[in-house]
Amino acid sequence: MNRANRAAGAAFVGTTIEWYDFYIYATAAALVFGDLFFPNASSPTVALMASFATYAVGFFARPLGGIVFGHFGDRVGRKSALVVTLVMMGVATFAVGVLPTYESIGVLAPTLLVALRFVQGLAVGGEWGGAVLMAVEHAPEGRKTFFGGFAQLGNPAGALLATGAFSLITMLGDDVLHSWGWRVPFIVSAVLVFVGLFIRLRVEESPVFEKVEKAATPIKEVFRLSWRSVLFGIGTLPVAVGGYYILTTFLLAYATGESVGASEQLILSGLSFAAFVELVATLGIAWVGDRLGSRKVVIVCLVITAALAVPQFAVLGSQNALLIFAMLGLMRLATSGTYGPMAAILSEMFPAQVRYTGISLAYQGAGAIFGGLSPLVATALVGAAGGAAWPAVGLLIGMCALSAICLSVAPRFRDPAPTGPAIH
């Protein structure tokens, strides 16, 4: 159990740092990158879409990171892959924090921004699958959803740190935010990376990986034997990944834009509160998933998410802080139920010898399709609708339906008990 606890703790700390780095970019993309790196855009909406396009590059890089580090993790080890991804993410994030803007170096600025975002995408593409497997494969039987929840817990913790950091910076005023304040969350991430490396290097390798017969070419084996699992895995994740970004990155830009006009401080504080709700709720939902069935829990939460879509966007223009906070918190509680159990659900869709590659392809493929494009598509649709929120609402409800259908028919694999024979 000590090995399982250490692995769960390391998964939480590592993914917290990785998602913090990933989300501070998303927050900056919604608030300042349009002005700083695309000042010649024809309108604020076009500048925002250009900013979200650079944000999307990270999602398109994630499947490649999943393939590269999935192969490495299935052949060499889960732990080694996780050390490399953490260093990559830390270097790229720090570099964004010291990157000159368009005003200083012209078109080279957005070019370098895209390149660094691509490196971030590669890193997080390899990180998630390994962190999940270290937690789930160390876990005792009957508690895999709960232990896998520690890897998922890094997402709201990273989001809380990211939105909290920018919320503090915005208190200093727009001039500070747009001049140098936006750089601070990126630069201080270097300290977090050193902490994460110290913890991660002390964790033992996955016991399942140590026993499994290694596949010569994991990516080939995945497409030969488990391609249906990859497709169903992608189909289960639209809300867990894409819906999340509609309700954070897009919502932040929409709520603080001209059509709604809410204050940046209010929405950032509300999103910080929502991240705290998810942080508190994730392990409890994972615990319930072990007892009632993780797939049942996710489907119920998908229904609730769809039901809350209309009131979530309706309250943004009310200027009522209590109402906005309440809806953001309720919605995040529902969506955390679609995300928290996914570590265990995706892990059981693939056999152990290709599991790192398989879950990385599914998760990062969904990230590229639904996570990377959702804010961009929602922005374009809402712009075409004259600022009305109903296209974003419809997009979110459609994602809920697709997730529920795919989850209900996705396959399952079971590992032998830890004391059993090696997996062949």
Side-chain angles (χ1 to χ4, degrees), residues 232-314:
F232 282 125
I234 291 172
T236 64
L237 290 165
V239 176
V241 292
Y244 178 87
Y245 293 107
I246 289 177
L247 295 166
T248 54
T249 305
F250 167 76
L251 184 144
L252 174 60
Y254 173 78
T256 58
E258 294 180 359
S259 60
V260 177
S263 76
E264 293 175 351
Q265 181 66 47
L266 172 61
I267 302 302
L268 281 169
S269 297
L271 289 174
S272 297
F273 170 72
F276 177 76
V277 169
E278 184 175 3
L279 184 66
V280 172
T282 295
L283 288 182
I285 291 171
W287 182 85
V288 172
D290 277 327
R291 281 146 184 79
L292 301 182
S294 54
R295 299 190 182 205
K296 291 179 182 177
V297 169
V298 172
I299 289 174
V300 169
C301 289
L302 287 168
V303 173
I304 297 172
T305 299
L308 292 176
V310 171
Q312 171 66 93
F313 283 91

Side-chain angles (χ1 to χ4, degrees), residues 18 96 103 169 173 316 352:
E18 292 270 0
V96 172
E103 184 180 6
I169 295 296
L316 295 177

